Amino acid sequence: MRKSLFFISAASFSLVFLLNGCGTLTSPIKEKQSANVGNQVTQQVVAAPVYKRGEIISSPEAAQQLLIEGNRRFTSGNTLSKDLSLTRRSDLIKNGQHPFAVILSCSDSRVPPELLLDQALGDLFVVRVAGNVVSPVEVGSIEYAVEHLNVPLVVVLGHEECGAVTAAVQGGENHGSIEDILDKIKPSVSKARKSGAIGKDLIEKSSDLNIQNALCEISKSPIIQEGVKAKQIRIIGAKYDLDEGVLKFMNDYSI
Ligand SMILES: [Zn+2]
């Protein structure tokens, strides 16, 4: 059962989602109380890591900080220049890839992770599927990144006004395999309806719950569970605001 769901700005940090089945929350990082939310929401205090391009990132906290800083650059228009040269491409072949985050995101053309997080070649391991739904194929991709590439952070990235979520809310006939995607989202829509949400709120609440559901599915992986319990990886939800360009990390999650 969903207990609570909050989002904090990209300038803040999220609680860590540690797994015990599907949805126990703890935070191993020093916290301070936030006064602006009714329920007790905590914000983590983490020193910003000093990151050099090409450096291997093994800390989930450092990886999240890099995403926060990247999204901040994106929204401010001060994105970094990207090294797309043959030298860089050759380096990634010679020395291998060391992405610091897995991003499972919607296929929506307005939500390209590398752009909105201002990252370059070799930085992100991206899995994209309409509605950011999770099947064993997506879990396998994430497991590969965690187990073989030692990626410390897994982010399920949904977004506002998601077409797949909207289609699941509106119902109606869909052809081909589109229905397979919507079937993954419909349980979240049902939960959102039971909460009394209507209209646009229903779509966004369904989207939030769909992110949670994806986290739940990912958390069933023994490989992911092992990494989380060892505090080597973190899995976390996030939602992207289409017009403001801000990515907000999910702060509290429980199923
Ligand atoms: Zn979408």
Side-chain angles (χ1 to χ4, degrees):
M1 178 184 297
R2 177 177 183 265
K3 291 179 180 175
S4 59
L5 176 67
F6 298 104
F7 292 102
I8 54 177
S9 76
S12 303
F13 292 86
S14 66
L15 287 179
V16 173
F17 170 50
L18 284 183
L19 303 170
N20 179 10
C22 204
T24 299
L25 278 166
T26 64
S27 177
I29 301 175
K30 182 181 177 182
E31 300 172 352
K32 68 177 181 181
Q33 295 298 315
S34 171
N36 60 353
V37 182
N39 293 324
Q40 283 197 332
V41 174
T42 54
Q43 292 183 336
Q44 296 174 348
V45 178
V46 183
V50 177
Y51 171 69
K52 298 172 184 173
R53 184 150 294 280
E55 179 182 342
I56 296 175
I57 302 298
S58 58
S59 155
E61 293 76 24
Q64 190 176 358
Q65 175 66 14
L66 291 176
L67 297 184
I68 290 169
E69 291 174 358
N71 182 243
R72 197 178 287 153
R73 292 193 299 271
F74 173 73
T75 55
S76 67
N78 296 314
T79 54
L80 301 175
S81 61
K82 308 295 186 297
D83 186 357
L84 306 176
S85 67
L86 174 60
T87 301
R88 176 58 178 154
R89 300 198 302 272
S90 298
D91 176 65
L92 285 168
I93 296 170
K94 181 182 176 184
N95 297 311
Q97 58 171 322
H98 301 286
F100 63 82
V102 178
I103 310 292
L104 171 71
S105 74
C106 182
S107 301
D108 194 302
S109 63
R110 300 165 294 183
V111 191
E114 287 91 343
L115 293 181
L116 62 92
L117 293 164
D118 192 32
Q119 301 301 324
L121 288 176
D123 289 336
L124 303 180
F125 192 93
V126 178
V127 183
R128 297 190 71 173
V129 57
N132 44 274
V133 296
V134 173
S135 71
V137 172
E138 285 77 32
V139 173
S141 296
I142 295 167
E143 287 176 339
Y144 173 79
V146 167
E147 188 170 51
H148 295 275
L149 302 178
N150 300 315
V151 177
L153 180 66
V154 177
V155 179
V156 174
L157 176 58
H159 66 97
E160 283 189 328
E161 301 184 38
C162 179
V165 174
T166 301
V169 169
Q170 293 175 340
E173 186 178 355
N174 292 281
H175 300 289
S177 297
I178 296 174
E179 202 63 41
D180 292 333
I181 295 172
L182 302 188
D183 284 345
K184 291 275 187 185
I185 302 173
K186 286 176 181 174
S188 298
V189 175
S190 296
K191 281 186 185 178
R193 285 192 200 281
K194 287 177 184 173
S195 75
I198 58 173
K200 187 174 181 181
D201 287 344
L202 175 59
I203 292 171
E204 297 310 325
K205 194 171 185 77
S206 298
S207 180
D208 296 348
L209 291 170
N210 185 50
I211 295 168
Q212 292 185 72
N213 187 57
L215 290 166
C216 180
E217 291 300 315
I218 294 167
S219 75
K220 293 174 183 174
S221 159
I223 292 172
I224 300 297
Q225 288 182 10
E226 184 180 337
V228 171
K229 286 175 183 172
K231 299 185 179 180
Q232 293 172 338
I233 67 168
R234 168 190 291 185
I235 70 170
I236 192 167
K239 195 171 182 184
Y240 176 69
D241 185 309
L242 283 179
D243 54 351
E244 293 185 2
V246 176
L247 183 150
K248 298 177 182 177
F249 282 99
M250 196 174 282
N251 189 9
D252 192 2
Y253 166 77
S254 184
I255 288 179

